[in-house]
Amino acid sequence: MRLTRREFVQSALGAGFAATLPVGFFSACSVSSKTGAVPSAFGASSVARQFAASSEIAFPKNFFWGTATAAYQIEGAWNEDGKGESVWDRFSQIPGNIKNGDTGDTACDSYHRWRDDIALMRAMNLNSYRFSISWPRIQASGSGSANSKGIDYYSRLVDALLEARIRPFVTLYHWDLPQALEVAGGWPNRDTASRFSDYVELMARVLGDRVTDWMLFNEPSVFTYSGYLIGEHAPGRKSLWDFLRATHVVNLAQGAGFRALKSARPQARVGTAFNMSACEPASDSEADKLAAQRTHAITNLWFLEPALKGRYPDAFTYLPETVMAIKPDDMDKVRAPLDFVGINLYYRTIASSPGAMERVAHAQEWLFPVRMTTGGGEQGPKTDIGWEVWPQALYDVVMRITRDYNRPVIEITESGCAYNDGPDASGKITDSHRIEYHRQYLAALARAITDGADVRGYHAWSLIDNFEWAEGFSQRFGLAYVDFKTQKRTIKGSGSWYAKVAAKNALPAT
Ligand code: FCB
């Protein structure tokens, strides 16, 4: 029996929809748990293509070689100089939310040690730094006048980057919503979109004379899914209603933020860093192929298609317009002709169609009839956080976006791996797995460029080991090691390798 739309919503809301939704509903990059194992009869693309190179691979002239970080993950100084509380400041204090009870209160202390961070980037020959601005450092409660000390911090950082000939590549929202706005309803509240565009305009005015390249959001599908549906990230809510509405309000905010930035700084280049994943069917069956299409729509396109085409992609069996509170003019408001598509990519996702029994057991599968993996498949090697290394995924996604969106400008805004190698007796950190990861993903990217993709830069996640959300400090992604007791930074083997790649603008032969 097929449920009507109203019956579905009632049963989903009433029966704890969130609790029964497949864990891999979105490609939640920061979730290490893995569920929903699928059969091993993968489609054709599951055969790992080798991206080894017998000769050097050159990258396009003026290619951006960068690293990425985010304010809450590195800055610390959570209540200094007039900074307000963010949802992550609040969430991380609650026992049980973060592994080992870690918090970002101090993190890498980059609020005080940013000069050290820039020195690392100089030593790595980098020419782009993707960092985020902490909204509550600028507006303590998410609205009103700006905190001049917060502005000064980012202003100094930008000046020093320019001085070091490193492009400041600024993310305006990397998950740290001012807690006061969460109290007022958070992302499900339409008013948050207006608060966001006011904040964007403010930042465009104060930094836009020196910053030209901006990202409005980092991974909108991850923070709405993990924060409002499954509650593993701040603010820790578990509600289908809140989640669906939050996705729509974020789309409205993306449109409004885009217009605010462009009206303040018409020359600015504006994008968003989307989390993306190559969505493969678990088998060649039509049902699994359809599941993979739905997965692609929800994971990769839910915030891109509204921006570029003014519509939601076909992820669900129907669009729950009423639940999402979509108003008549909204699909014009969500439009944002982005200047570039930022792609964060770590792994692929394998999708299959749930069996009849599962569909009967879980009413929500009438809306989203898909089982999907989180953290990749089972064929490639695994990083320490449990994610599968699968460079082909980067090639596939870049090529698909290139094909489907008329060859947009693409920036790889994040890719990287957790390996927890520490210093040996002489203090050296030999992280050869990380070198191998970036080498292979970069080779896959180079192939996509050869095949026609317009890719302008690659940002390794991350510059330094940092606070990995619900995983706390247990997962190290940095090209430089951080001793969290002394805050001493040491460039790892991978950082030295990346420095050579950046200096030559080419991947060495293997
Ligand atoms: C991404 C996040 C980033 C970092 C990496 C590992 O999902 O954007 O902040 O945590 O995963």
Side-chain angles (χ1 to χ4, degrees):
M1 180 198 66
R2 201 184 165 97
L3 296 179
T4 64
R5 189 186 296 200
R6 171 172 296 171
E7 281 165 346
F8 164 74
V9 171
Q10 282 168 349
S11 67
L13 295 175
F17 178 104
T20 52
L21 203 77
V23 167
F25 190 56
F26 275 142
S27 171
C29 297
S30 295
V31 179
S32 58
S33 55
K34 242 176 129 318
T35 56
V38 291
S40 59
F42 298 129
S45 60
S46 69
V47 179
R49 192 179 337 163
Q50 287 306 307
F51 289 100
S54 52
S55 56
E56 185 178 277
I57 307 175
F59 276 74
K61 207 166 161 245
N62 300 326
F63 194 76
F64 284 111
W65 293 100
T67 53
T69 62
Y72 188 73
Q73 295 180 274
I74 65 161
E75 283 178 3
W78 77 276
N79 61 354
E80 259 178 68
D81 289 345
K83 178 181 168 295
E85 189 187 17
S86 78
V87 289
W88 271 94
D89 291 319
R90 178 68 63 98
F91 183 77
S92 64
Q93 303 304 316
I94 299 168
N97 280 349
I98 314 290
K99 199 174 267 181
N100 304 320
D102 293 341
T103 74
D105 290 1
T106 308
C108 310
D109 196 28
S110 286
Y111 187 70
H112 300 111
R113 294 169 195 262
W114 53 273
R115 287 182 193 83
D116 298 352
D117 297 342
I118 294 181
L120 294 172
M121 289 182 258
R122 291 186 81 139
M124 291 184 205
N125 304 314
L126 304 182
N127 60 1
S128 181
Y129 180 39
R130 177 173 175 241
F131 63 95
S132 82
I133 292 177
S134 160
W135 182 355
R137 213 180 267 300
I138 303 299
Q139 293 177 305
S141 54
S143 61
S145 58
N147 169 25
S148 60
K149 291 198 170 159
I151 304 265
D152 288 349
Y153 170 67
Y154 293 110
S155 204
R156 276 192 299 266
L157 179 64
V158 164
D159 287 345
L161 286 167
L162 291 172
E163 167 93 35
R165 298 179 167 278
I166 298 170
R167 169 182 67 160
F169 192 27
V170 174
T171 313
L172 287 152
Y173 185 85
H174 201 125
W175 305 356
D176 42 359
L177 186 72
Q179 176 65 23
L181 293 186
E182 169 60 16
V183 171
W187 282 111
N189 175 7
R190 280 177 84 96
D191 192 49
T192 304
S194 309
R195 299 286 70 75
F196 178 72
S197 70
D198 289 352
Y199 153 70
V200 170
E201 189 182 331
L202 197 165
M203 291 316 303
R205 290 198 188 289
V206 295
L207 294 185
D209 54 337
R210 288 153 291 157
V211 173
T212 51
D213 297 10
W214 306 81
M215 283 139 289
L216 296 160
F217 285 106
N218 179 68
E219 301 194 345
S221 67
V222 172
F223 76 80
T224 50
Y225 168 80
S226 299
Y228 290 93
L229 183 60
I230 63 165
E232 288 184 3
H233 282 182
R237 292 200 227 169
K238 292 183 188 173
S239 153
L240 169 67
W241 171 278
D242 289 343
F243 158 69
L244 288 171
R245 286 192 68 145
T247 68
H248 185 55
V249 174
V250 169
N251 271 313
L252 289 168
Q254 185 168 244
F258 181 87
R259 287 183 290 279
L261 221 163
K262 287 284 191 178
S263 69
R265 299 285 175 184
Q267 307 306 326
R269 288 186 290 269
V270 187
T272 277
F274 301 96
N275 54 296
M276 293 203 180
S277 187
C279 302
E280 301 176 8
S283 78
D284 286 335
S285 77
E286 289 310 312
D288 285 355
K289 285 185 192 160
L290 180 59
Q293 275 175 34
R294 290 192 194 287
T295 305
H296 174 65
I298 197 84
T299 304
N300 300 336
L301 307 183
W302 198 250
F303 298 87
L304 180 63
E305 186 97 345
L308 299 188
K309 299 196 175 158
R311 62 173 184 238
Y312 278 102
D314 291 334
F316 299 146
T317 47
Y318 61 85
L319 186 66
E321 275 181 53
T322 322
V323 178
M324 289 172 70
I326 300 178
K327 291 191 181 169
D329 294 341
D330 281 2
M331 296 321 286
D332 287 329
K333 293 187 181 153
V334 297
R335 279 183 186 270
L338 303 174
D339 298 299
F340 65 90
V341 177
I343 297 181
N344 292 2
L345 186 138
Y346 291 83
Y347 48 73
R348 63 179 170 158
T349 299
I350 293 157
S352 57
S353 169
M357 288 308 286
E358 271 175 78
R359 288 186 188 216
V360 172
H362 302 300
Q364 76 276 2
E365 294 198 352
W366 288 111
L367 178 64
F368 187 70
V370 172
R371 270 194 293 157
M372 53 204 271
T373 58
T374 303
E378 296 296 338
Q379 289 169 298
K382 297 283 176 76
T383 64
D384 288 351
I385 200 171
W387 300 351
E388 184 192 33
V389 178
W390 201 259
Q392 173 85 40
L394 185 59
Y395 175 85
D396 289 347
V397 164
V398 167
M399 291 314 293
R400 178 137 192 206
I401 296 299
T402 295
R403 243 187 353 258
D404 294 353
Y405 291 91
N406 197 21
R407 197 171 181 260
V409 170
I410 291 175
E411 296 255 8
I412 303 306
T413 35
E414 282 180 30
S415 187
C417 47
Y419 289 111
N420 294 323
D421 310 283
D424 64 17
S426 67
K428 255 179 70 181
I429 298 113
T430 308
D431 57 336
S432 31
H433 287 312
R434 182 169 289 102
I435 297 178
E436 194 49 24
Y437 176 99
H438 286 295
R439 194 186 64 71
Q440 290 190 35
Y441 278 60
L442 279 165
L445 188 63
R447 182 80 61 88
I449 294 170
T450 305
D451 290 351
D454 186 0
V455 184
R456 305 287 174 90
Y458 180 85
H459 297 79
W461 184 272
S462 180
L463 174 65
I464 46 181
D465 297 334
N466 58 45
F467 177 85
E468 178 49 29
W469 309 113
E471 298 293 321
F473 296 104
S474 69
Q475 299 298 328
R476 293 178 177 271
F477 279 85
L479 296 178
Y481 183 87
V482 176
D483 177 334
F484 291 106
K485 290 205 185 75
T486 62
Q487 295 294 353
K488 184 172 171 242
R489 282 98 159 114
T490 308
I491 293 182
K492 301 179 188 177
S494 58
S496 306
W497 174 85
Y498 197 54
K500 287 189 208 130
V501 175
K504 288 201 86 175
N505 198 32
L507 265 186
T510 45

